[in-house]
Amino acid sequence: MRLGHAPSADPNATNAFAKVSVALLAGTLVLGLNASITAVIFGHLAWAQLRRVPQRGRGLALTGIIGGYVMTAVWFVVGFVLIALVILWPYLLWGLAEG
């Protein structure tokens, strides 16, 4: 095999990076922000491979990319809200106590 050439792949096989991307996306609620970012990375790697090698898995790669970006945004919003609550909690308690 020469350098720079992709090995010939079975066209009926599903791309492994696409499978990993969707698996990480499924585990995002448990594994957190790192899993969603990693799902995006593996989705892009799978998409790049699928442009060169005829395999199945374009839908899985696209699901990992889009879902990973959405879940990354969700995790950032959740983190922002939690930080805001921690910072504002004394003011919220004081405001409620004043009535």
Side-chain angles (χ1 to χ4, degrees), residues 4-93:
H5 292 281
S8 59
D10 180 17
N12 293 325
T14 304
N15 188 282
F17 282 162
K19 291 179 187 178
V20 170
S21 178
V22 171
L24 285 166
L25 181 62
T28 298
L29 293 176
V30 176
L31 300 173
L33 178 64
N34 291 336
S36 62
I37 293 172
T38 310
V40 170
I41 292 169
F42 273 101
H44 280 290
L45 289 173
W47 191 261
Q49 278 187 351
L50 289 169
R51 286 183 17 214
R52 292 187 313 257
V53 179
Q55 282 184 325
R56 295 176 13 199
R58 286 188 189 274
L60 293 176
L62 195 58
T63 300
I65 293 169
I66 294 172
Y69 278 127
V70 168
M71 288 308 295
T72 299
V74 166
W75 279 110
F76 275 112
V77 168
V78 166
F80 178 76
V81 168
L82 288 176
I83 290 171
L85 283 175
V86 167
I87 292 171
L88 296 176
W89 189 250
Y91 300 106
L92 293 172
L93 286 177

